[in-house]
Structure formats: C-alpha cells, structure tokens
Amino acid sequence: MSVTFNHTIIAAKDRNESALFFRELLELAEAPSWGPFINIQLDDGVLLQFAEPPVEIQMQHYAFLIDDELFDRAYRRLCERGVVHWADPQMQRPGEINHGHGGRGVYFKDPAGHAIELITQPYL
C-alpha cells in the first residue's frame, strides 16, 4: 500500500461554524459526522474533522490546492464577506493575492484563527 493522507483534526472554537466556513468557501458537500467531530471531506477523500478542544487553540497552517475557477469563486466570497487576507504569510501585503510558483495564492484566517492558504499551483 502506498502512503496517502487520510484525515486530520482541526481545533475549532465552534466546530459547526468552522466546518460551514470551509464547506461554503471550498464548495464541499456535507459528510457524515460522529462523536465530537463535524466532518467535511475533500475531493481526494481526505477528511477534515472539526472539534472543540478544552484547551487554548494554537494557530496551525493549512494549505489547499484548488483550481483557478474555484480560486476565483473562493476569493470573491472572501472579499464579499470582508475576510481580511494577504498575498504573503508575513501579512505585509493586505488585500492582495500573490502569483507565486506560476499560479495564484492568498492567505487568511479561518474562524478559529488558523492560517489558511489557497493556491492554484503546487510548490513542487
């Protein structure tokens, strides 16, 4: 068997709010949920499980590779909702996107404060 990424748990202040944020932004369908998790499934089968841990949430970084058409729609939704965003991870270029690696990218924070990156071309 080859190695593939299967799932991760993403800490959330409100698991429903975070899951809905990603479902709407990335145009993903609802997935079956259980126990303390609200789940969404990416097109490649990877499961994102949102949970509310009883500890202070530490910021994590999550990057999503998406096609140009979805990038356009997602970026438009970010702007329409007034989500603060940057072209760079240092947050020095607000309100912009970047054109790194032959594609486009943008950084912003999700409802729990995690650093999210959308890119249209992989780094490698």
Side-chain angles (χ1 to χ4, degrees):
M1 173 184 265
S2 63
V3 177
T4 59
F5 188 72
N6 182 262
H7 71 277
T8 192
I9 298 170
I10 299 176
K13 295 174 186 171
D14 179 323
R15 63 190 183 161
N16 290 299
E17 177 186 26
S18 288
L20 181 61
F21 176 83
F22 281 97
R23 277 201 337 262
E24 289 179 349
L25 182 68
L26 301 176
E27 301 175 0
L28 299 166
E30 290 188 48
S33 296
W34 57 84
F37 306 113
I38 300 296
N39 301 322
I40 61 174
Q41 193 165 34
L42 305 181
D43 294 336
D44 62 358
V46 171
L47 193 65
L48 303 180
Q49 299 185 287
F50 295 88
E52 299 168 10
V55 296
E56 183 179 340
I57 296 173
Q58 298 297 311
M59 183 185 76
Q60 299 292 313
H61 173 72
Y62 300 96
F64 297 90
L65 177 63
I66 61 178
D67 65 34
D68 284 304
E69 292 79 19
L70 180 54
F71 185 92
D72 290 339
R73 294 189 305 272
Y75 184 67
R76 185 171 43 252
R77 280 191 281 279
L78 289 173
C79 292
E80 288 170 353
R81 295 176 184 180
V83 175
V84 177
H85 58 279
W86 303 269
D88 61 316
Q90 297 81 21
M91 301 178 199
Q92 299 297 308
R93 295 173 50 202
E96 298 179 38
I97 65 170
N98 67 62
H99 296 278
H101 305 279
R104 294 180 291 161
V106 66
Y107 295 83
F108 56 94
K109 294 200 175 170
D110 79 348
H114 297 299
I116 308 302
E117 180 180 8
L118 301 180
I119 56 175
T120 62
Q121 290 294 316
Y123 288 170
L124 298 177

